[in-house]
Amino acid sequence: MVEIVHMIDSEVFLAFSTYATIVILKMMLMSLVTSYYRLTKQVFANIEDTTLVKSTEDRKKLVRFDPDVERVRRCHQNDLENIVPFVVIGLLYSLTGPDLSSALLHFRVFVGSRFIHTVTYLMALPQPSRGLFFGVGLCATMSMAYRVLTTALFL
Amino acid sequence: MVEIVHMIDSEVFLAFSTYATIVILKMMLMSLVTSYYRLTKQVFANIEDTTLVKSTEDRKKLVRFDPDVERVRRCHQNDLENIVPFVVIGLLYSLTGPDLSSALLHFRVFVGSRFIHTVTYLMALPQPSRGLFFGVGLCATMSMAYRVLTTALFL
Amino acid sequence: MVEIVHMIDSEVFLAFSTYATIVILKMMLMSLVTSYYRLTKQVFANIEDTTLVKSTEDRKKLVRFDPDVERVRRCHQNDLENIVPFVVIGLLYSLTGPDLSSALLHFRVFVGSRFIHTVTYLMALPQPSRGLFFGVGLCATMSMAYRVLTTALFL
């Protein structure tokens, strides 16, 4: 992590900024997908939310579970558990001065795998498709973590 | 993202550090609110936690769900899903060299909206109050993401 | 936060990079522990996942809750709620130019407390052991946040 200051001005850092922003926006989109499902399927987690679609007595029945909503929420949770580590480790990795081509490879593989992971999750495609793309993203992050630890190790 | 190095020494970066720390502390506070509710209402998620309030036979009954505890947990989860993207995109945004006034506007609107969002969630205020402040925070983050992508795009 | 640029090249920043990467990898490990429990105990959250262990008619029964799997998931969630704040505040703290010894103390105490927290959670050790190590980690993060706010305050 020598000459880190130059690294921040580098194309690697610009690429990191771009891919991190795209994948975070993708994660935020899951909130809107959840809201869309809740409103169209009339499935709510809070009693006060039911007034958004109904004002009569039987509003309490709308506070319930729905397998499709829960699926979107699990997908969102999986994003949180994987995209947050990518962003943290990707930022530190960008500061270790990797080759631009290696960095782009890591960023593209990770971001691509997360987009496909979301499709496989929401469409309930047969396994091991989802597991595979989860694993690909995990490996990209692990590979960057390996470089951070071998370059910057200071315990 | 030219002259990024100067940006890190800027007032924008100091402002980002301040608001990011405040909103992260607010998110961490949700853990303590959950613990407070669990202890005062005697509602636990783990059998070993019940010894904190009771040592007799009927401890198993205390491992249960409670709507108020679940409400705090959903609020905490919503914070995770929104504050983490703000921190990541806000950091990158701070490095794009925005005007101090624009940056302060984004940070204040986001942090303010999340504090009000928490109040509307925990007090179960009528909709669309909570949805509104969720949306305001989302727009602040989206607006910063737009600037990052238009300034730093490198695919 | 004067001379922040020099700080990024410092041993404090190298130490932060190391400890942040280690504790994020530890958090990611929870995904694999969950997968291991799901596969060995045959407990799934999605119907399509059941084909990984069984191909016959009664696959639907494998979509169920299991207390051990839920315990791992609560532990993972607790990591998200605590490690993400550490990473964000730790990064900003590293840029405030703390003594190397103070910084190492904060990083080591936090990371150590989270490893022990995971052991106490997964082994269901008697309370208040888990609460204690949760609190130690929280205090380490709070202490760094205090330094960020007193050094960089710009509202």
Side-chain angles (χ1 to χ4, degrees):
Chain A
M1 218 173 269
V2 188
E3 299 187 67
I4 217 170
V5 174
H6 299 283
M7 285 304 114
I8 296 187
D9 264 321
S10 69
E11 292 183 320
V12 169
F13 200 81
L14 290 179
F16 170 72
S17 301
T18 302
Y19 286 99
T21 302
I22 289 170
V23 81
I24 288 277
L25 286 174
K26 176 249 156 293
M27 184 169 85
M28 292 170 73
L29 188 64
M30 301 310 292
S31 291
L32 301 181
V33 176
T34 304
S35 299
Y36 174 78
Y37 271 64
R38 286 203 182 281
L39 290 169
T40 53
K41 301 196 79 172
Q42 307 206 341
V43 177
F44 297 97
N46 302 289
I47 182 69
E48 69 269 23
D49 302 352
T50 57
T51 56
L52 293 168
V53 296
K54 199 174 270 194
S55 54
T56 49
E57 269 310 291
D58 54 342
R59 292 192 292 125
K60 277 195 178 177
K61 287 182 191 161
L62 302 185
V63 179
R64 53 187 170 162
F65 276 82
D66 176 87
D68 292 341
V69 172
E70 293 308 305
R71 180 176 286 276
V72 181
R73 296 191 63 235
R74 285 196 301 276
C75 183
H76 195 170
Q77 182 70 14
N78 196 283
D79 270 359
L80 269 176
E81 293 169 3
N82 288 278
I83 291 175
V84 171
F86 165 78
V87 169
V88 173
I89 290 175
L91 173 70
L92 299 173
Y93 167 81
S94 300
L95 300 178
T96 62
D99 291 339
L100 179 60
S101 57
S102 300
L104 282 173
L105 182 66
H106 282 91
F107 301 158
R108 285 171 184 164
V109 165
F110 180 84
V111 175
S113 74
R114 293 310 300 182
F115 273 93
I116 304 173
H117 178 272
T118 300
V119 172
T120 60
Y121 215 146
L122 297 189
M123 296 183 68
L125 297 186
Q127 285 281 25
S129 62
R130 199 182 84 233
L132 179 72
F133 288 101
F134 165 80
V136 169
L138 197 76
C139 289
T141 304
M142 293 282 191
S143 168
M144 294 191 297
Y146 177 77
R147 186 178 158 92
V148 172
L149 288 183
T150 50
T151 314
L153 194 68
F154 190 101
L155 285 166
Chain B
M1 219 175 267
V2 189
E3 298 187 70
I4 217 172
V5 175
H6 298 284
M7 285 304 115
I8 297 187
D9 263 324
S10 69
E11 291 183 322
V12 169
F13 199 82
L14 290 179
F16 170 72
S17 300
T18 302
Y19 285 99
T21 302
I22 289 171
V23 82
I24 288 278
L25 286 175
K26 175 248 157 294
M27 184 169 84
M28 293 170 73
L29 188 64
M30 301 311 291
S31 291
L32 301 181
V33 176
T34 304
S35 299
Y36 174 78
Y37 272 63
R38 285 203 183 281
L39 289 169
T40 53
K41 300 196 79 173
Q42 306 205 343
V43 177
F44 297 97
N46 302 287
I47 183 68
E48 69 269 25
D49 302 352
T50 57
T51 56
L52 293 167
V53 296
K54 199 174 270 195
S55 53
T56 49
E57 271 308 291
D58 53 341
R59 291 193 290 126
K60 277 195 176 176
K61 288 183 191 162
L62 301 185
V63 179
R64 51 184 173 166
F65 277 82
D66 177 87
D68 292 341
V69 171
E70 293 309 305
R71 180 176 285 277
V72 181
R73 297 190 63 234
R74 284 196 300 275
C75 183
H76 196 170
Q77 183 69 15
N78 196 281
D79 270 359
L80 269 176
E81 293 170 2
N82 288 277
I83 290 175
V84 171
F86 164 78
V87 169
V88 173
I89 290 176
L91 173 71
L92 299 173
Y93 167 82
S94 300
L95 300 179
T96 63
D99 291 340
L100 179 59
S101 57
S102 300
L104 282 173
L105 182 66
H106 281 91
F107 300 159
R108 285 172 185 163
V109 165
F110 180 85
V111 175
S113 74
R114 294 309 302 183
F115 273 94
I116 304 173
H117 178 272
T118 300
V119 172
T120 60
Y121 214 147
L122 297 189
M123 296 182 69
L125 297 186
Q127 285 281 25
S129 61
R130 199 183 83 234
L132 179 72
F133 288 101
F134 166 79
V136 169
L138 198 75
C139 288
T141 304
M142 293 281 193
S143 168
M144 294 191 297
Y146 176 78
R147 184 178 161 94
V148 173
L149 289 182
T150 51
T151 314
L153 194 68
F154 190 101
L155 285 167
Chain C
M1 217 174 269
V2 188
E3 299 187 68
I4 217 171
V5 174
H6 298 285
M7 284 305 113
I8 297 186
D9 264 323
S10 69
E11 291 183 320
V12 169
F13 199 81
L14 290 179
F16 170 72
S17 301
T18 303
Y19 285 100
T21 301
I22 290 170
V23 81
I24 289 277
L25 287 174
K26 176 247 156 294
M27 184 169 84
M28 293 170 73
L29 188 65
M30 301 311 291
S31 291
L32 302 181
V33 176
T34 304
S35 300
Y36 174 78
Y37 271 64
R38 286 203 183 281
L39 289 169
T40 53
K41 301 196 80 173
Q42 307 206 341
V43 178
F44 297 97
N46 303 288
I47 182 68
E48 70 268 24
D49 302 353
T50 56
T51 56
L52 293 168
V53 296
K54 199 173 272 196
S55 54
T56 49
E57 269 308 291
D58 53 341
R59 292 193 292 123
K60 277 195 177 176
K61 286 182 190 162
L62 301 185
V63 179
R64 53 185 171 162
F65 276 82
D66 176 86
D68 291 341
V69 171
E70 293 308 306
R71 180 177 285 276
V72 181
R73 296 191 63 235
R74 285 196 300 275
C75 183
H76 196 170
Q77 182 70 16
N78 196 283
D79 270 359
L80 269 176
E81 293 169 2
N82 288 278
I83 290 175
V84 172
F86 165 78
V87 168
V88 173
I89 290 176
L91 174 70
L92 300 173
Y93 167 81
S94 300
L95 300 178
T96 62
D99 291 339
L100 179 59
S101 57
S102 300
L104 282 173
L105 183 66
H106 281 92
F107 301 158
R108 286 172 184 163
V109 165
F110 180 85
V111 175
S113 74
R114 294 309 302 183
F115 273 92
I116 304 173
H117 178 272
T118 299
V119 172
T120 60
Y121 215 146
L122 297 189
M123 297 183 67
L125 297 186
Q127 285 279 24
S129 63
R130 198 183 84 233
L132 179 71
F133 288 101
F134 165 81
V136 168
L138 199 75
C139 288
T141 304
M142 293 282 192
S143 168
M144 294 191 297
Y146 177 78
R147 185 177 161 94
V148 173
L149 288 182
T150 49
T151 314
L153 194 67
F154 190 101
L155 285 166

